[in-house]
Amino acid sequence: MHQLTPAAPPTVLLVHGAFTDASCWAGVVRLLQTAGMTVRALANPLRGLEQDAACIRSAVREIAVPVVLVGHDYGGAVITHAATDADNVVALCYVAAFGLDAGECVLDITNRFAPVPSAEATRIAALPVRIPGSRECELYIRRERFSQVYAADLPSGVEEVLSVLQRPIACGALTGRSGPPAWASKPSWYAIATADRMLNPTAQRFMAQRMAATEHLLDGSHAVVLSQPDAVVAMIREAVEQVDGLGPMTFARTDDTGMGC
């Protein structure tokens, strides 16, 4: 067991979702740092729920202070799965994100609600061959549709750059089944993007209410972490302030370097 630093303020760990990378948090990071908070934006491999969660869990266990985990999009599924047995995670924040229940996958949620424009705006490409005979594939947003479905509220030209920089997600990540959800035992916050065309806002509200999260309604696109970083930071700061000052806790620290990214 590893002792947490007593009375230490939480570290905020940001986990991005599909079709982007950690740079999507740039505005959020700047505002959190200006507020004097310790923050890290982690690289999410986007290769599969189990291995992506293992990567994030490994990073969490290296931190000897309380952690507030924040996930956007598919990053929500990752933090839900990763934080279940991470005792130093004291709160979860979801930003237009998947907060899966035990046994659920991303497609279970998207198929449960009315289709959004992104359903017809993606394309599948073969994954670079790594294992002979593998048929794994990965998913992109079509460049000509990126602005409409992902970043409709960003300045003209910015979304074009983002469409070029997008990182694909392995198709298998969308069918990975979640374990017991961390939100069942940890306080949660959820920013619902009401103009989202990637993840149905109704689905977001359903997940937020299911986890009894503190809800924040943001009039923004799926790229709300970029278009409204101040509103996202307001939610994160609310979570941090409510869990700050917790007494020392203990958590298991793995020596298995295979858990790392």
Side-chain angles (χ1 to χ4, degrees), residues 42-63:
L42 303 178
N44 186 354
L46 306 178
R47 297 296 88 186
L49 184 57
E50 190 65 40
Q51 66 193 79
D52 296 341
C55 176
I56 301 307
R57 187 182 302 117
S58 177
V60 167
R61 287 176 172 174
E62 290 299 315
I63 298 174

Side-chain angles (χ1 to χ4, degrees), residues 14-257:
L14 307 169
V15 181
H16 67 84
F19 313 116
T20 188
D21 59 23
S23 67
C24 72
W25 297 109
V28 171
V29 169
R30 177 179 56 81
L31 291 171
L32 288 174
Q33 289 179 332
T34 299
M37 297 184 181
T38 301
V39 57
R40 291 178 56 191
L42 303 178
N44 186 354
L46 306 178
R47 297 296 88 186
L49 184 57
E50 190 65 40
Q51 66 193 79
D52 296 341
C55 176
I56 301 307
R57 187 182 302 117
S58 177
V60 167
R61 287 176 172 174
E62 290 299 315
I63 298 174
V65 299
V67 170
V68 172
L69 266 179
V70 185
H72 173 235
D73 182 72
Y74 166 75
V78 174
I79 68 171
T80 298
H81 192 57
T84 300
D85 58 354
D87 293 340
N88 60 325
V89 174
V90 293
L92 303 168
C93 291
Y94 296 82
V95 185
F98 289 91
L100 302 180
D101 204 348
E104 276 185 343
C105 68
V106 167
L107 291 184
D108 287 338
I109 294 296
T110 58
N111 291 337
R112 182 171 181 171
F113 297 88
V116 287
S118 63
E120 299 178 353
T122 55
R123 67 178 180 88
I124 296 175
L127 193 69
V129 177
R130 296 180 181 178
I131 302 175
S134 172
R135 295 185 177 181
E136 181 62 286
C137 59
E138 53 189 8
L139 201 64
Y140 292 82
I141 300 175
R142 297 182 186 277
R143 287 181 56 183
E144 67 274 13
R145 299 290 302 280
F146 192 93
S147 174
Q148 176 193 12
V149 303
Y150 192 95
D153 54 354
L154 289 177
S156 178
V158 174
E159 73 278 3
E160 295 179 10
V161 173
L162 294 176
S163 73
V164 173
L165 297 177
Q166 67 174 296
R167 286 187 56 215
I169 185 170
C171 295
L174 307 181
T175 57
R177 300 286 171 183
S178 183
W183 49 257
S185 59
K186 302 178 189 293
S188 302
W189 281 256
Y190 199 114
I192 299 170
T194 60
D196 200 327
R197 295 179 176 179
M198 287 289 297
L199 176 55
N200 192 321
T202 302
Q204 295 180 43
R205 186 170 291 106
F206 163 77
M207 289 183 284
Q209 293 179 352
R210 179 172 65 178
M211 65 177 71
T214 300
E215 296 180 25
H216 285 241
L217 297 179
L218 307 184
D219 183 15
S221 72
H222 196 63
V224 71
V225 295
L226 284 161
S227 62
Q228 296 188 43
D230 52 344
V232 173
V233 166
M235 180 186 71
I236 295 172
R237 292 189 63 176
E238 179 181 301
V240 170
E241 289 167 2
Q242 289 200 27
V243 301
D244 197 5
L246 294 177
M249 298 174 289
T250 58
F251 67 98
R253 182 174 180 177
T254 181
D255 291 325
D256 181 7
T257 56

